[in-house]
Amino acid sequence: MSSMKYGYIGLGLMGGGLARNLIRAGKDVTVFDLNPEAIEKTLAVGTTGKAAQNAAELAGCDVVFTSLPLPKHIEGTMLGEEGLLSKMKAGATYIDVSTIDPKTAKKLAVAAESKGIGFLACPLGKGPAQAEKAEQPIFAGGKKEVYEKMLDTLKIVGNPVYYLGGAEQAYAFKLISNMIGMTNLAVLAEGLRIGEKAGIDPKQLQELLADTGANSFQLQVRGPWILNNDFGNRFGVSLALKDVRLGCDMADDWGYDARFTKLAKKFYEIAEAQGFANEDCNAVYKVL
């Protein structure tokens, strides 16, 4: 692993932290992003990273990571005659840490296998702060031999690492997690609004909810942000809405009507329409 050459595409809030972890570990890393500031921030943490002018320059890497916003960005970068998978060498490994849908995962897995390239789906469990500290849970899916080959690398960028089986299962898990989390957040926001109507002190309301069955990750993490009118973008409304949409579409494909999540989705759509797309997803509180 020490002689491996790594490539990293997508240095946003999540991908940037993971790429920096590789550089901090002294790995040979070539990075690419459309944002020059993101590249500069990533290369500043060590001396073993360098910038590429385009994604094609990563074709010679042994391992390539992508962390991109939407399935269409992944497909546009990796698939087709001009996609990076068509240029990478046989025996290399492609790891995607984005949040995409199982259907796109299948396309990536088939395309990679046809070129003799290993593929792992590795969606992430928490936020940018954990990504920066290599404390990001990783939910890996793909062929077991590829997972075992890449496990040491994965432990550099995040921890703990879980193996879920196939790539489709890994992405499904991530979407389910975000469906539950965003629906919980919408319900929390609604409860806080009702508490305000009842005349309960907002701070006391949250403290007491935390000592009941209403306690949750969202109450513990985003509750105080709401209390302090802090809507800084850790995981934006637009990304939350994207994941919820993907999750609802995934459920529909399997013949399951995700009724509660679809109801929550409406409020994130309203939040986006009202101009809160680039605020944290706790901005759903503003429209409830």
Side-chain angles (χ1 to χ4, degrees):
M1 189 178 73
S2 59
S3 62
M4 282 186 179
K5 294 184 182 297
Y6 294 89
Y8 211 108
I9 302 172
L11 306 174
L13 292 174
M14 301 290 273
L18 271 61
R20 287 188 285 275
N21 291 335
L22 287 170
I23 295 173
R24 291 185 185 107
K27 303 305 176 186
D28 183 341
V29 187
T30 303
V31 300
F32 174 69
D33 194 280
L34 296 176
N35 182 354
E37 293 180 0
I39 293 175
E40 183 179 353
K41 179 179 178 180
T42 298
L43 298 182
V45 302
T47 60
T48 59
K50 56 183 176 293
Q53 297 301 309
N54 53 63
E57 291 185 22
L58 279 62
C61 293
D62 300 294
V63 183
V64 172
F65 284 83
T66 52
S67 179
L68 298 170
L70 297 171
K72 67 179 182 181
H73 299 134
I74 300 289
E75 292 193 30
T77 300
M78 302 303 298
L79 300 180
E81 292 183 4
E82 296 303 315
L84 188 56
L85 282 173
S86 69
K87 305 176 189 300
M88 290 172 63
K89 59 188 179 182
T93 304
Y94 167 43
I95 301 174
D96 176 59
V97 301
S98 315
T99 301
I100 58 175
D101 57 286
K103 287 193 295 186
T104 303
K106 190 169 184 178
K107 292 180 187 179
L108 295 172
V110 169
E113 187 170 0
S114 72
K115 301 292 184 180
I117 296 167
F119 172 62
L120 285 181
C122 292
L124 311 172
K126 293 186 178 178
Q130 290 77 26
E132 200 69 51
K133 297 185 289 185
E135 295 174 354
Q136 183 68 251
I138 295 175
F139 305 103
K143 290 187 175 180
K144 190 65 175 290
E145 59 267 28
V146 180
Y147 167 75
E148 291 175 345
K149 177 183 175 183
M150 289 293 106
L151 184 55
D152 287 344
T153 289
L154 294 177
K155 287 181 177 179
I156 292 172
V157 299
N159 185 63
V161 181
Y162 303 98
Y163 181 66
L164 276 79
E168 294 175 71
Q169 283 71 47
Y171 287 126
F173 172 82
K174 174 61 175 178
L175 289 178
I176 293 166
S177 172
N178 282 6
M179 290 168 73
I180 294 171
M182 293 303 100
T183 302
N184 281 349
L185 178 57
V187 171
L188 170 64
E190 182 174 75
L192 296 180
R193 287 297 192 191
I194 295 170
E196 293 167 9
K197 295 290 186 182
I200 303 171
D201 175 76
K203 185 173 185 295
Q204 184 183 36
L205 174 63
Q206 290 197 24
E207 290 174 349
L208 297 181
L209 287 174
D211 198 33
T212 72
N215 194 20
S216 68
F217 173 87
Q218 299 296 354
L219 175 62
Q220 294 290 336
V221 173
R222 288 190 162 87
W225 297 346
I226 291 173
L227 192 65
N228 293 316
N229 290 312
D230 180 358
F231 301 100
N233 190 353
R234 287 88 166 180
F235 181 61
V237 166
S238 61
L239 283 179
L241 178 56
K242 179 266 293 187
D243 289 356
V244 170
R245 281 176 175 156
L246 288 175
C248 290
D249 290 345
M250 174 183 71
D252 285 341
D253 287 342
W254 293 330
Y256 185 85
D257 184 12
R259 290 157 288 180
F260 288 111
T261 309
K262 288 178 179 177
L263 181 59
K265 177 167 69 75
K266 293 179 181 179
F267 295 102
Y268 291 100
E269 290 170 341
I270 294 169
E272 184 178 64
Q274 291 189 4
F276 305 130
N278 295 319
E279 295 190 10
D280 191 80
C281 54
N282 66 347
V284 71
Y285 168 82
K286 296 182 178 183
V287 304
L288 280 161

